[in-house]
Amino acid sequence: MPLKLGLVGIGKIARDQHIPALAADPRFELVACASRNARVDGVANFADIETLLAEVRQLDAISICTPPQAHFEAALAALRAGKHVMLEKPPAATTRQIALLQAEAARHGCTLFQTWHSRFAAGVDTAREWLRGRTLSGGSITWKEDVHHWHPGQQWIWEPGGLGVFDPGINALSLLTEVLSDEVFVHQAVLDFPENQQAPIAARLSLRTAAGVTVNAEFDFRQKGEQTWDIALVTTSGRLRLSRGGGVLEIDDRPLGADDALAGEYPRLYARFAELCAAGESEVDWRPFQLVADAFLVGERRIVAAHQV
Ligand code: NAP
C-alpha cells in the first residue's frame, strides 16, 4: 500500500520537484495539498495544514515545502497528528525548533526526515568514500547565483529567518559536512546586507577543522552569466572537485560521471523517506544550519547597495 501523503506550501520547489517525484514513485500517493493561494489538480486542496489534517482521514505523511519561517508550526501540527514528516531545507527558523521537532517525532513514534537535497546529488557518495582516510589540507566553496533568476519575487528570502544568500549557501554546507570526515566550525565571517533588506546578499566564511585546516566559502546572490556551485577540496594525496551542486565529480581533474543535479535528487529523497518510514526511523542533522547560525553570531556585518526583489 502506498503512503498517502499531503504536500504543504505549493510554490516553485513543490511544482518543479516534489510533485513530479511523487507522481513517479509507487511508494507514495499524493492525496492532498495545503497552500494559502495555490491549488493542485486532482487532489483535495486546503488553505492550511490544520484543515488538511482535520479533514483528510486517510493520511500517513506530510511533506513540507514552505519557506523555513513556516516549517516549525506545520511540522509540529503534523507530528502531533501522528503523521510522518519530510521537511525541506533550511529546516527551520531557529536551531532549537529542530531539536523540539526531533523530540516531538520520537514522542509520537513518527519519522522526521529533515532533508538536505544536495546530499542526494550524483557525486556525493563517491566523494565521501574517496575522502575517507585522506588528510585534508585545504579547500574552497564558490556558490554564486543570480537571485532574480532562481528566486523570482521571493520576498521571504529577504525577511528575518529567510537567510538571504544562505538559502542556497546552506546546500554547500550540507555537502561539506556530508563528505568531510573532519568537523568544521566558523572561524570568521563577513556578511553583506543590502541597506533595504533583513538578510545577507553575499557572505564570505572562513571555516576551520579542529586540525587547523581552512576551507574558505564565498556565497553571492549577485552573480550574472555563469552560475557556480562548486566545492574544491585538497588532500595530501589528491584533489577533489564537486561542481554543479554535487552533480558532477572530478578527482585529480578526471571526471567521474555527471548528472543533472536536482533532477536525480528528489526521487532519491522520496526513496529515502519511504525507507525511513518503513524502518520507523528519523534522520536529522542540523550541522549545516548551525554553521549558518554561527556565521550570523560571529560575522562582521557590512551594509551594501539596496536590492530590489
Ligand atoms: P516559493 O516558490 O516561495 O514557494 C513556497 C510556498 O510556500 C509559497 O508559494 C506559499 O504558497 C507557501 N507559504 C507558506 N507560508 C509562507 C510564508 N510565510 N511566506 C511565503 N510563502 C509561504 O519557495 P520555494 O522556492 O518553493 O522554496 C520553498 C522551500 O524549498 C525553501 O525552504 C527553499 O529553500 C527550498 N528549496 C527551494 C529550491 C528552489 O530551487 N526554489 C530548491 C530546493 C529547496 P501559498 O501562498 O499558496 O501558501
Side-chain angles (χ1 to χ4, degrees), residues 81-135:
K83 311 303 174 194
H84 303 305
V85 169
M86 177 163 139
L87 202 51
E88 256 297 354
K89 49 65 61 174
T94 71
T95 57
R96 289 304 297 159
Q97 287 177 342
I98 309 167
L100 295 185
L101 291 179
Q102 196 172 20
E104 202 70 16
R107 188 170 303 128
H108 293 279
C110 298
T111 290
L112 174 62
F113 181 27
Q114 180 250 294
T115 66
W116 299 110
H117 65 84
S118 295
R119 290 182 173 180
F120 290 78
V124 176
D125 289 345
T126 312
R128 187 182 50 246
E129 288 310 309
W130 185 83
L131 282 162
R132 185 172 296 158
R134 285 187 158 79
T135 305

Side-chain angles (χ1 to χ4, degrees), residues 202-304:
R204 293 163 296 288
L205 270 52
S206 170
L207 303 162
R208 286 250 175 103
T209 68
V213 176
T214 299
V215 177
N216 288 313
E218 266 194 85
F219 304 136
D220 205 319
F221 250 162
R222 298 164 297 193
Q223 179 80 352
K224 300 296 175 199
E226 192 185 347
Q227 309 286 289
T228 308
W229 301 282
D230 286 0
I231 299 180
L233 296 172
V234 183
T235 75
T236 52
S237 51
R239 292 187 313 282
L240 173 150
R241 175 179 290 273
L242 262 179
S243 50
R244 300 196 58 75
V248 177
L249 174 65
E250 287 171 2
I251 290 178
D252 294 330
D253 300 324
R254 213 163 22 92
L256 286 183
D259 188 12
D260 176 5
L262 271 181
E265 289 173 12
Y266 280 82
R268 289 181 209 124
L269 272 180
Y270 275 100
R272 180 72 183 136
F273 187 37
E275 273 173 20
L276 289 168
C277 292
E281 292 171 3
S282 288
E283 193 165 287
V284 176
D285 175 10
W286 67 72
R287 289 174 299 159
F289 194 55
Q290 285 177 312
L291 291 172
V292 172
D294 287 351
F296 277 94
L297 279 176
V298 301
E300 183 186 328
R301 178 180 290 235
R302 295 187 183 163
I303 303 300
V304 299

Side-chain angles (χ1 to χ4, degrees), residues 11-258:
K12 188 171 187 324
I13 200 63
R15 291 197 190 280
D16 289 357
Q17 299 296 337
H18 288 256
I19 293 173
L22 285 164
D25 192 329
R27 289 165 294 195
F28 291 97
E29 183 189 354
L30 179 60
V31 295
C33 290
S35 215
R36 299 164 309 180
N37 302 294
R39 294 176 58 80
V40 173
D41 291 342
V43 303
N45 286 276
F46 302 93
D48 54 68
I49 185 172
E50 289 77 14
T51 316
L52 186 159
L53 290 167
E55 298 283 324
V56 182
R57 290 281 153 217
Q58 303 249 307
L59 187 72
D60 303 299
I62 290 284
S63 181
I64 297 171
C65 309
T66 61
Q69 296 100 323
H71 282 185
F72 180 67
E73 283 74 14
L76 197 61
L79 292 168
R80 286 184 171 163
K83 311 303 174 194
H84 303 305
V85 169
M86 177 163 139
L87 202 51
E88 256 297 354
K89 49 65 61 174
T94 71
T95 57
R96 289 304 297 159
Q97 287 177 342
I98 309 167
L100 295 185
L101 291 179
Q102 196 172 20
E104 202 70 16
R107 188 170 303 128
H108 293 279
C110 298
T111 290
L112 174 62
F113 181 27
Q114 180 250 294
T115 66
W116 299 110
H117 65 84
S118 295
R119 290 182 173 180
F120 290 78
V124 176
D125 289 345
T126 312
R128 187 182 50 246
E129 288 310 309
W130 185 83
L131 282 162
R132 185 172 296 158
R134 285 187 158 79
T135 305
L136 189 73
S137 55
S140 62
I141 295 173
T142 312
W143 225 255
K144 296 184 174 182
E145 65 179 54
D146 179 355
V147 66
H148 285 128
H149 179 81
W150 298 103
H151 304 277
Q154 292 182 352
Q155 181 61 46
W156 60 263
I157 275 193
W158 300 105
E159 289 167 1
L163 299 188
V165 75
F166 288 110
D167 178 76
I170 202 168
N171 296 335
L173 299 174
S174 77
L175 285 174
L176 188 74
T177 48
E178 174 69 14
V179 299
L180 274 190
S181 311
D182 308 75
E183 292 291 333
V184 291
F185 65 92
V186 178
H187 173 60
Q188 287 175 331
V190 179
L191 313 183
D192 294 340
F193 284 75
E195 62 183 13
N196 61 337
Q197 303 293 356
Q198 297 289 321
I201 196 165
R204 293 163 296 288
L205 270 52
S206 170
L207 303 162
R208 286 250 175 103
T209 68
V213 176
T214 299
V215 177
N216 288 313
E218 266 194 85
F219 304 136
D220 205 319
F221 250 162
R222 298 164 297 193
Q223 179 80 352
K224 300 296 175 199
E226 192 185 347
Q227 309 286 289
T228 308
W229 301 282
D230 286 0
I231 299 180
L233 296 172
V234 183
T235 75
T236 52
S237 51
R239 292 187 313 282
L240 173 150
R241 175 179 290 273
L242 262 179
S243 50
R244 300 196 58 75
V248 177
L249 174 65
E250 287 171 2
I251 290 178
D252 294 330
D253 300 324
R254 213 163 22 92
L256 286 183

